[in-house]
Structure formats: C-alpha cells, structure tokens
C-alpha cells in the first residue's frame, strides 16, 4: 500500500508523513521523491514547513540547508546530517521504505 500519491506532491511543497513511529519529510523534485527525517538536526523544527530549492531543503527556523538526496547538512547552524529513507515511486504510488 502506498503512503502518498505522486500527483498530490508538488515540487517545492514538502509534506509530513507519519510512518512506523517516525515523522518524515517527503519532498518531490521533478519526477523524483526524497524522504528525510522531518525534525531538523539543529533543533526542534519541522522541515516539511521549510523551503525546497533544487535538491536542497531549508529549515524555516534558523536557515540551515540540507541535501535531500543524502541528508547532508550544507550550512550552519546544522552540522549533523539527516537520516534519509528510500522512496519507491511506482506509477502514481509513492512509498517510503522504512
Ligand atoms: S532548527 Fe533548523 S536550523 Fe535551527
């Protein structure tokens, strides 16, 4: 069973997904979909309320940026990477694999 449908996801508008006790930020970039831990590695902000530009997501609280593909912290004040999750896209079905 899928978690989301691709046509509900818009580039630049990440969504929050609760699955298996985790809170995940799911972001579409073109035809690709990425999933990272929703809580910023700097503090308690929800990244699904942040902005996506290219493959980067920016935390709305203090402006740290992360690479959606790898979870890597790209700018301060975050220094720790985010956990990433594999995403399967099958037609219109999007499944985060946890
Ligand atoms: S909580 Fe995200 S940058 Fe501070």
């Amino acid at each position: 069973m899928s978690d989301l449908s691709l046509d509900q996801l818009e580039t630049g508008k990440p969504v929050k997904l609760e699955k298996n006790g985790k809170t995940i930020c799911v972001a579409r970039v073109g035809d690709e979909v990425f999933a990272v831990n929703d809580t910023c590695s700097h503090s308690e902000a929800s990244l699904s309320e942040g902005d996506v530009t290219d493959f980067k997501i920016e935390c709305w609280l203090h402006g740290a940026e992360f690479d959606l593909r790898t979870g890597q912290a790209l700018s301060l004040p975050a220094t720790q990477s985010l956990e990433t999750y594999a995403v399967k896209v099958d037609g219109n079905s999007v499944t985060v694999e946890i």
Side-chain angles (χ1 to χ4, degrees), residues 24-87:
I24 301 158
C25 169
V26 181
R28 178 176 181 171
V29 181
D31 289 334
E32 293 181 272
V33 181
F34 300 94
V36 297
N37 205 41
D38 188 59
T39 305
C40 182
S41 66
H42 176 239
S43 190
E44 293 293 314
S46 175
L47 289 173
S48 53
E49 293 168 37
D51 291 320
V52 173
T53 311
D54 299 326
F55 291 98
K56 284 188 301 192
I57 189 160
E58 180 180 342
C59 178
W60 59 272
L61 192 51
H62 308 112
E65 294 173 310
F66 300 90
D67 190 317
L68 286 166
R69 298 166 291 190
T70 62
Q72 188 186 357
L74 300 173
S75 63
L76 294 172
T79 55
Q80 310 260 323
S81 299
L82 300 170
E83 194 168 350
T84 59
Y85 304 95
V87 179

